[in-house]
Amino acid sequence: FSQNLFGFANYGDTDLDGVGLSLFSLGAGFHWPLSPALDLTSGVSYERVKVEGAGSDGGYGLAVGLRGRAGDALEFNGGVKYADFGGGDGDDLVFSAGFRYYFTPAFAAGIDFSKWDDLDLSTIGVSFRYDFGSRQ
């Protein structure tokens, strides 16, 4: 949205012990440069979880992490998110790490790993990114 403000959306669909599980996240974040190649990131999001046969719940997420560059084409990230889906035990911590390879200054693809603590769920996903602003 601006030099330091960004938006994001994530969707995941998986099978957990024979039960379908969908996770959706939509939010905005901000990054603070710590050095020319490293940023502190933060974000707030709307979170939705849908469990096959049990319905769905919505809530919020709060995230913090680090994002850095290793050369012109490789970006790495890692962080932690608190997700609250409402209800008594409807919250979880999510630990994540990943990387992106920039094929052009604006287009990247990457792999992300996430570990949901209470759900005992680990995910690996493929991601695509398009940066609307110019990268330097």
Side-chain angles (χ1 to χ4, degrees):
F1 300 123
S2 70
Q3 182 175 346
N4 292 35
L5 184 65
F6 60 92
F8 59 89
N10 296 302
Y11 176 77
D13 191 48
T14 189
D15 185 271
L16 184 62
D17 295 329
V19 177
L21 178 70
S22 299
L23 300 163
F24 173 74
S25 178
L26 178 68
F30 197 84
H31 68 89
W32 291 269
L34 299 176
S35 76
L38 185 65
D39 292 343
L40 174 67
T41 62
S42 64
V44 61
S45 57
Y46 169 74
E47 303 286 326
R48 183 174 173 100
V49 61
K50 182 177 180 182
V51 180
E52 181 182 10
S56 63
D57 282 316
Y60 67 93
L62 301 171
V64 65
L66 293 173
R67 178 179 69 183
R69 296 291 290 229
D72 291 334
L74 189 61
E75 179 181 282
F76 59 89
N77 64 72
V80 63
K81 175 172 71 172
Y82 171 77
D84 188 325
F85 298 106
D89 291 329
D91 63 343
D92 207 346
L93 282 177
V94 185
F95 302 93
S96 62
F99 74 91
R100 312 256 177 297
Y101 182 82
Y102 278 84
F103 296 97
T104 71
F107 178 72
I111 296 178
D112 294 299
F113 172 80
S114 294
K115 170 75 171 103
W116 292 73
D117 189 41
D118 288 344
L119 281 178
D120 196 25
L121 173 68
S122 297
T123 62
I124 296 176
V126 176
S127 63
F128 299 96
R129 175 183 288 170
Y130 186 81
D131 292 331
F132 294 95
S134 63
R135 294 190 66 87
Q136 298 184 13

